[in-house]
Amino acid sequence: MMLFRTIVIWAVQVLPFCVGIGVAGLSAHLFGPIIAETFSIHELIPTALIFFAVAATLGWIGSRFWPEDRMYYNPLL
């Protein structure tokens, strides 16, 4: 059950990320470099990757060292 919960949490986080990356790439492709430069899409993609990597790392550290009392502690998470 914990594995399913973890997969669902990751899926919920990955879905908006992929949609955002897709919209950014599609708008840059369709509307050309003017719109891409206006919204700085070339800077948003690496920023989003770094943000989600740091958020995932902090979440992993938090669940590893400070598990919730009502949850079963899994040292592999």
Side-chain angles (χ1 to χ4, degrees):
M1 192 66 173
M2 289 292 293
L3 178 63
F4 179 70
R5 179 177 180 250
T6 303
I7 290 171
V8 168
I9 289 171
W10 276 94
V12 166
Q13 292 176 355
V14 166
L15 184 65
F17 175 74
C18 290
V19 168
I21 295 296
V23 168
L26 187 63
S27 67
H29 178 72
L30 293 177
F31 301 112
I34 295 171
I35 298 296
E37 191 66 31
T38 302
F39 293 109
S40 299
I41 290 171
H42 63 285
E43 295 174 2
L44 288 177
I45 293 173
T47 303
L49 289 173
I50 292 169
F51 172 78
F52 278 104
V54 169
T57 302
L58 290 175
W60 178 81
I61 290 170
S63 68
R64 175 77 169 93
F65 295 108
W66 297 282
E68 295 181 19
D69 293 335
R70 66 182 190 274
M71 292 175 51
Y72 176 71
Y73 177 64
N74 183 357
L76 298 176
L77 280 178

